[in-house]
């Protein structure tokens, strides 16, 4: 019902279903002790919390601000650690309506980011990252919060950022740990993948940390179920320049055949293939052909060989090259069409803003 009313534009009218469920908060937002007590109980309730999660998603900026100031501000740290209310907090954070709201939320969460990361509540941090990506704001603030939570105090310590997130460990513990015995954490991998989507140069802290690691160490990640997801996200990211990706691809030179026969490494080869130009694809192709027997003997390797059309290359290399040129031309045309269609929208947005003024 709330979703239908939202589509009709009647969600926040006085007397609406939402207004009644929130005990007239919409029609009369003044302080009310009875209502405030009931809504605070609802945040911790197993049923009421699900209702509030949907409210956060549908609320207008004004209503969300009222809910935040009245029931969450000053309590985010405590609510984030609660087994039920932490999901309401995640919904609140992931549905921040504007940059001001987002930065206010980050500022309040920042002192407890370390606790959230290491006490099984990283979903709260992920919710903030989701809003940073959606609103294209708050990148600096969320990264400073992550540095603080991970115990990174000096610039030189930031080179271990990718490790600290991948293993979800504070800096002091990491430097004294046996690296080979550290398990990847799925939540840490997901956080890295979100950081790579931050607007502008938001991905640079992760990439700087990546290139600060020994290449063999990063290569070993390609054969791990969680580590490979991180590498694949780096290669596939739309926000990372092609020149930077090429540096990543060069680290796997002469290793593509070994990656192809691995369950997780084969996905890395596919990702590298998709972002490569034709000369680099031929380089990968030659590596696969040189060790064809090894690659063909693996079910994962055979899939890679099929995706790269190795047999066609061996029989008719010129036809293979022509096909690749056509595919690359099609991708460029599609990108040009997409870019040209999005540009007028941006211009019209600017014009509408001027007209409002």
């Amino acid at each position: 019902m709330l979703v239908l009313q939202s589509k009709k534009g009647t969600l926040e009218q006085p007397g609406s279903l939402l207004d009644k469920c929130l005990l007239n908060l919409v029609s009369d937002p003044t302080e009310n002790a009875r209502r405030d007590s009931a809504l605070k109980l609802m945040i911790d309730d197993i049923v009421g919390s699900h209702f509030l999660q949907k409210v956060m998603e549908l609320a207008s900026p004004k209503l969300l601000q009222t809910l935040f100031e009245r029931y969450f501000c000053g309590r985010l740290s405590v609510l984030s650690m609660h087994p039920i209310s932490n999901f309401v907090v995640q919904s609140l954070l992931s549905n921040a309506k504007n940059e001001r709201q987002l930065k206010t939320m980050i500022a309040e969460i920042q002192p407890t980011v370390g606790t959230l990361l290491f006490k099984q509540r990283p979903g709260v941090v992920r919710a903030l990252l989701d809003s940073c990506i959606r609103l294209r704001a708050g990148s600096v603030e969320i990264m400073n919060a992550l540095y603080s939570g991970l115990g990174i105090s000096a610039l030189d310590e930031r080179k271990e950022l990718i490790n600290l997130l991948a293993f979800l460990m504070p800096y002091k513990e990491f430097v004294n740990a046996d690296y080979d015995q550290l398990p990847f954490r799925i939540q840490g991998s997901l956080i890295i993948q979100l950081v790579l989507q931050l607007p502008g140069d938001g991905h640079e802290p992760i990439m700087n940390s990546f290139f600060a690691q020994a290449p063999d160490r990063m290569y070993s990640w390609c054969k791990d179920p969680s580590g490979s997801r991180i590498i694949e996200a780096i290669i596939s990211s739309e926000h990372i320049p092609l020149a930077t990706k090429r540096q990543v691809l060069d680290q796997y030179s002469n290793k593509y055949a070994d990656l192809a026969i691995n369950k997780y490494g084969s996905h890395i080869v596919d990702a590298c293939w998709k972002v490569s130009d034709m000369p680099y694809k031929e380089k990968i192709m030659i590596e696969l052909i040189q060790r064809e027997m090894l690659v063909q003997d693996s079910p994962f390797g055979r899939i890679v060989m099929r995706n790269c059309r190795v047999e066609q290359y061996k029989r008719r290399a010129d036809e293979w090259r022509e096909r690749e040129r056509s595919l690359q031309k099609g991708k460029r045309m599609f990108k040009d069409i997409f870019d040209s269609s999005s540009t007028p929208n941006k211009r019209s947005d600017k014009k509408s803003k001027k007209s409002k003024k």
Side-chain angles (χ1 to χ4, degrees):
M1 288 295 294
L2 293 180
V3 175
L4 289 175
Q5 288 190 350
S6 177
K7 290 180 179 179
K8 291 180 180 179
T10 59
L11 180 68
E12 296 182 22
Q13 289 183 356
S16 66
L17 176 62
L18 177 63
D19 191 23
K20 292 177 180 177
C21 290
L22 293 178
L23 305 179
N24 301 320
L25 179 66
V26 177
S27 55
D28 180 20
T30 57
E31 290 191 17
N32 181 310
R34 176 175 168 273
R35 177 178 60 208
D36 291 349
S37 176
L39 290 181
K40 285 179 180 179
L41 287 173
M42 191 182 294
I43 294 172
D44 296 338
D45 183 74
I46 194 167
V47 177
S49 62
H50 286 288
F51 165 71
L52 287 176
Q53 288 177 58
K54 180 56 69 173
V55 171
M56 301 302 170
E57 180 184 333
L58 301 174
S60 66
K62 181 180 179 181
L63 178 58
L64 190 78
Q65 187 68 26
T66 299
L67 289 166
F68 173 64
E69 291 177 351
R70 191 76 58 82
Y71 306 110
F72 294 90
C73 191
R75 303 176 64 219
L76 281 181
S77 298
V78 175
L79 293 173
S80 294
M81 298 307 299
H82 191 275
I84 295 175
S85 63
N86 87 89
F87 293 105
V88 184
V89 172
Q90 289 183 45
S91 185
L92 169 74
L93 301 181
S94 62
N95 286 289
K97 307 300 181 181
N98 52 55
E99 183 176 350
R100 182 176 64 85
Q101 283 183 351
L102 174 61
K103 290 186 175 181
T104 301
M105 293 171 182
I106 295 175
E108 182 167 338
I109 284 289
Q110 179 167 348
T112 57
V113 166
T115 304
L116 295 171
L117 289 175
F118 310 132
K119 293 294 178 83
Q120 305 301 313
R121 292 290 182 268
V124 176
V125 178
R126 285 170 50 203
L128 280 173
L129 283 164
D130 283 335
S131 280
C132 289
I133 295 165
R134 177 172 50 83
L135 296 173
R136 299 186 61 79
S139 296
V140 173
E141 289 79 7
I142 193 64
M143 288 310 303
N144 286 336
L146 284 172
Y147 292 142
S148 175
L150 293 167
I152 296 175
S153 55
L155 287 175
D156 184 59
E157 295 173 358
R158 295 185 181 183
K159 67 182 181 181
E160 301 297 352
L161 175 64
I162 196 169
N163 289 315
L164 302 182
L165 287 175
F167 306 123
L168 280 186
M169 293 183 68
Y171 180 81
K172 288 184 178 180
E173 286 186 22
F174 174 77
V175 295
N176 294 314
D178 181 354
Y179 183 88
D180 295 330
Q181 300 300 317
L182 296 178
F184 282 97
R185 303 294 183 185
I186 294 176
Q187 291 293 332
S189 174
L190 293 174
I191 289 174
I192 291 174
Q193 292 173 55
L194 288 173
V195 172
L196 289 170
Q197 299 177 49
L198 288 174
D201 57 1
H203 62 273
E204 287 189 356
I206 291 293
M207 294 312 301
N208 291 339
S209 178
F210 175 90
F211 289 119
Q213 309 303 311
D216 287 344
R217 177 174 286 183
M218 291 293 97
Y219 173 71
S220 69
W221 287 26
C222 296
K223 298 183 178 182
D224 180 272
S226 293
S228 63
R229 292 282 188 177
I230 297 171
I231 304 301
E232 191 175 350
I234 289 173
I235 297 168
S236 304
S237 174
E238 297 179 356
H239 304 279
I240 299 176
L242 285 173
T244 304
K245 292 182 182 181
R246 177 58 64 86
Q247 294 179 54
V248 178
L249 268 59
D250 286 342
Q251 289 196 4
Y252 307 132
S253 183
N254 299 318
K255 296 176 180 176
Y256 285 108
D258 288 323
L259 287 173
I261 64 175
N262 181 269
K263 179 179 181 179
Y264 307 107
S266 60
H267 294 293
I268 302 300
V269 179
D270 287 337
C272 292
W273 184 266
K274 289 177 183 177
V275 300
S276 297
D277 56 18
M278 193 167 66
Y280 207 91
K281 284 184 176 179
E282 289 205 62
K283 180 179 179 181
I284 296 174
M285 179 76 75
I286 290 169
E287 285 191 33
L288 295 175
I289 292 174
Q290 287 175 343
R291 303 183 67 187
E292 184 174 4
M293 290 185 65
L294 173 71
V295 178
Q296 288 283 19
D297 197 43
S298 162
F300 311 112
R302 287 194 292 272
I303 294 173
V304 171
M305 297 283 272
R306 185 184 65 208
N307 293 343
C308 298
R309 296 181 178 270
V310 173
E311 287 303 317
Q312 182 185 22
Y313 182 85
K314 287 165 60 180
R315 292 195 307 269
R316 297 183 180 87
D318 289 339
E319 286 186 11
W320 178 89
R321 293 188 185 97
E322 185 60 34
R323 179 181 180 278
E324 288 299 321
R325 289 192 191 97
S326 298
L327 289 172
Q328 290 180 10
K329 183 178 179 181
K331 288 179 181 179
R332 286 196 297 269
M333 289 177 63
F334 179 79
K335 184 177 185 299
D336 291 342
I337 293 171
F338 179 80
D339 290 344
S340 63
S341 64
S342 62
T343 302
N345 292 333
K346 292 179 181 178
R347 289 176 179 171
S348 63
D349 288 344
K350 290 180 180 178
K351 288 181 180 178
S352 63
K353 287 179 182 178
K354 289 181 180 178
S355 63
K356 288 179 182 178
K357 292 179 181 178

